[in-house]
């Protein structure tokens, strides 16, 4: 089954997790660039507000076609204000999910990954209503906002959580 890991990363923790997971399972890596700067305090606030309002990033439409080519898709994203990032919101709305098996890997500041069940329900509904098969969500601790965790720690957390 051909597989891709499509990810959005701000501080680099999700990038580490996504690239490691892709290497581990033999998947193609697809980086989501939304063109928005989320740097500094204002960027932090802007990102949280955009996520809370379920905004969608303006991604190049070719990225949706690229993701749609795969039978098994892993979406990797940080959690902002308890919500999905604008880049992943755009992917959820624009990719053809029909017949796809979809996994989601989230990284968040909360070490206990509280409310992961709410996010799991959100992804399950978003993917299922577009005829995709939501398989599972793997929630792991990334680090505090705007901090890059040690690579080894992220890898350990991915290994412990992601069963693909």
């Amino acid at each position: 089954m051909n597989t891709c890991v499509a990810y959005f990363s701000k501080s680099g923790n999700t990038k580490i997790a996504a690239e490691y997971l892709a290497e581990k399972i033999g998947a193609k890596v697809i980086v989501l660039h939304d063109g928005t700067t989320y740097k500094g305090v204002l960027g932090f606030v802007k990102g949280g507000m955009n996520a809370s309002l379920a905004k969608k990033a303006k991604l190049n439409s070719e990225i949706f076609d690229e993701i749609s080519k795969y039978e098994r898709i892993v979406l990797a994203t940080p959690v902002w204000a308890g919500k999905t990032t604008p880049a992943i919101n755009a992917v959820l709305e624009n990719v053809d999910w029909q017949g796809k098996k979809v996994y989601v890997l989230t990284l968040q500041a909360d070490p206990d990954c509280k409310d992961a069940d709410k996010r799991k329900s959100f992804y399950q509904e978003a993917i299922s209503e577009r005829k995709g098969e939501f398989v599972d969500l793997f929630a792991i601790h990334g680090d505090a906002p705007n901090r890059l965790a040690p690579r080894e720690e992220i890898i350990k957390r991915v290994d412990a959580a992601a069963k693909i």
Side-chain angles (χ1 to χ4, degrees):
M1 181 176 296
N2 64 354
T3 305
C4 76
V5 176
Y7 78 88
F8 172 80
S9 185
K10 176 183 174 282
S11 63
N13 292 315
T14 305
K15 177 182 182 194
I16 292 168
E19 289 179 352
Y20 170 73
L21 183 60
E23 181 180 323
K24 183 177 176 177
I25 64 173
K28 161 94 173 172
V29 173
I30 300 174
V31 182
L32 305 172
H33 296 286
D34 76 358
T36 304
T37 301
Y38 295 108
K39 297 204 183 278
V41 174
L42 290 177
F44 176 79
V45 172
K46 179 180 180 179
M49 187 166 42
N50 286 349
S52 293
L53 296 171
K55 294 221 174 180
K56 292 160 198 72
K58 294 176 183 165
L59 301 176
N60 184 324
S61 64
E62 292 172 6
I63 205 83
F64 308 129
D65 295 336
E66 178 68 19
I67 294 169
S68 296
K69 292 177 186 175
Y70 293 87
E71 299 163 310
R72 185 168 67 167
I73 301 163
V74 179
L75 299 176
T77 182
V79 174
W80 290 354
K83 304 289 183 186
T84 302
T85 59
I88 296 296
N89 285 333
V91 168
L92 288 170
E93 185 174 279
N94 292 289
V95 167
D96 176 8
W97 298 109
Q98 188 163 357
K100 314 294 187 215
K101 293 184 181 293
V102 185
Y103 299 79
V104 178
L105 172 65
T106 60
L107 284 84
Q108 60 193 75
D110 177 15
D112 297 325
C113 298
K114 291 179 188 150
D115 295 331
D117 287 342
K118 288 180 187 176
R119 278 184 291 289
K120 185 174 185 173
S121 295
F122 167 79
Y123 288 111
Q124 187 168 24
E125 183 178 319
I127 292 162
S128 297
E129 73 182 18
R130 291 174 179 81
K131 310 294 187 230
E133 178 187 343
F134 173 81
V135 181
D136 208 352
L137 177 132
F138 310 113
I140 68 172
H141 172 57
D143 208 326
N146 298 318
R147 285 195 42 192
L148 185 60
R151 185 177 193 282
E152 303 78 35
E153 285 300 312
I154 296 293
I155 288 170
K156 277 192 239 178
R157 294 170 193 162
V158 170
D159 281 339
K163 308 298 182 216
I164 297 177

